[in-house]
Amino acid sequence: MATPEDFGDDIFQASGRVRPSLLTEAAAAALDESVRFARETRWDSVRSPHVFMGLLAVPDAGMQTWGERLRADLPKLLGQFQELFHQEEGEEEAILALNREFLSDNVIRLLREAQSRASDHNRRQITTMDLLISLLTATNSIVAECFERIGVTAAKLTELAVIAERESK
């Protein structure tokens, strides 16, 4: 009988759950937090801003270094994103999980891109920096757009993330 791992390099198990073996402990914690933030902000699916909120909520060394280089207060930034993406009319008690059916198409693309990036860097697991950099470089990234509105380009955010990744190894 085939095991979920037998389905190739896909990020999902046969059940639809994200394959835990593909994530570092920190990346898994951030994605778990993203599910919580999707629920708290009253969305019926996990979207890319929720992934960013998850990264901010449980920052590992790379995220902390990125925040320092950006000169950003990560808890304050998290609060701003929570406010910005809160829906008053949204689902109060949404049932959500780290499962394909509860992830937006953008989040699925983000996870696949992060997996590809990890592979390109000879890693078997997705790190928080893979998630962050993939999030910032995604086409039409709403997170990057939020920063662009205050004068910080996606290119600058990504550059700082790459530097933070190198420094936190």
Side-chain angles (χ1 to χ4, degrees):
M1 180 170 200
T3 66
E5 307 303 326
D6 292 336
F7 290 95
D9 293 331
D10 195 33
I11 57 172
F12 297 107
Q13 297 174 329
S15 65
R17 294 208 42 93
V18 173
R19 287 174 47 198
S21 62
L22 288 180
L23 304 168
T24 62
E25 193 174 310
L31 289 176
D32 286 342
E33 285 295 299
S34 71
V35 173
R36 185 175 68 82
F37 285 114
R39 192 176 298 115
E40 283 184 8
T41 57
R42 297 183 168 192
W43 288 79
D44 61 359
S45 64
V46 178
R47 312 256 175 186
S48 55
H50 300 121
V51 173
F52 185 61
M53 289 179 220
L55 291 166
L56 295 173
V58 288
D60 65 356
M63 284 298 297
Q64 289 174 358
T65 302
W66 178 76
E68 290 165 10
R69 290 197 151 277
L70 186 59
R71 293 191 169 103
D73 177 334
L74 297 184
K76 182 178 177 183
L77 189 56
L78 171 58
Q80 291 169 329
F81 267 80
Q82 283 178 279
E83 260 182 57
L84 190 59
F85 290 96
H86 182 78
Q87 299 188 110
E88 287 300 324
E89 302 299 317
E91 185 72 35
E92 280 190 60
E93 297 295 323
I95 296 172
L96 296 170
L98 203 51
N99 192 298
R100 179 188 348 236
E101 69 184 285
F102 300 114
L103 305 178
S104 72
D105 290 345
N106 284 340
V107 170
I108 293 170
R109 275 192 294 279
L110 163 67
L111 291 172
R112 288 195 171 122
E113 181 56 37
Q115 180 189 24
S116 176
R117 185 179 188 282
S119 179
D120 290 348
H121 286 84
N122 299 313
R123 290 190 304 270
R124 296 185 56 116
Q125 292 184 306
I126 297 168
T127 66
T128 58
M129 298 313 289
D130 291 324
L131 291 170
L132 178 64
I133 292 167
S134 297
L135 182 68
L136 296 173
T137 58
T139 305
N140 299 322
S141 169
I142 188 69
V143 172
E145 184 181 311
C146 289
F147 281 97
E148 297 252 355
R149 290 180 187 166
I150 60 167
V152 183
T153 66
K156 184 63 175 176
L157 294 168
T158 304
E159 175 189 343
L160 295 176
V162 170
I163 292 168
E165 180 179 45
R166 270 187 251 138
E167 289 179 355
S168 64
K169 284 185 179 180

